[in-house]
Amino acid sequence: MFGVHQAERARAGLPGARVVTLPGCGHVPMSDDPDRVARLILETTGAVAAPGVTSAVQGGDAGLRGEQG
């Protein structure tokens, strides 16, 4: 995680990187907005589909929420 002022520099040095701003979050976004940070981690690792992306796995990420698929 980088500060906004370092985002472009990080993106230039990290091929395939993306910049996601977290409005309302400070130095510890995991504490400031844990649900949003967890969702971004899951999307980035491919554990769940990003919004607007259809999952090829039947049931999608329902199991992560404890729902039946």
Side-chain angles (χ1 to χ4, degrees):
M1 285 185 232
F2 300 97
V4 174
H5 62 285
Q6 298 169 321
E8 288 305 317
R9 182 176 178 188
R11 185 185 343 210
L14 299 168
R18 68 180 175 140
V19 174
V20 178
T21 56
L22 301 171
C25 291
H27 293 288
V28 188
M30 303 75 88
S31 293
D32 296 335
D33 195 343
D35 291 337
R36 187 184 326 170
V37 172
R39 182 71 188 189
L40 284 170
I41 291 169
L42 293 172
E43 290 170 4
T44 300
T45 61
V48 299
V53 176
T54 303
S55 174
V57 178
Q58 185 176 11
D61 65 345
L64 294 173
R65 294 188 307 264
E67 300 172 9
Q68 297 294 319

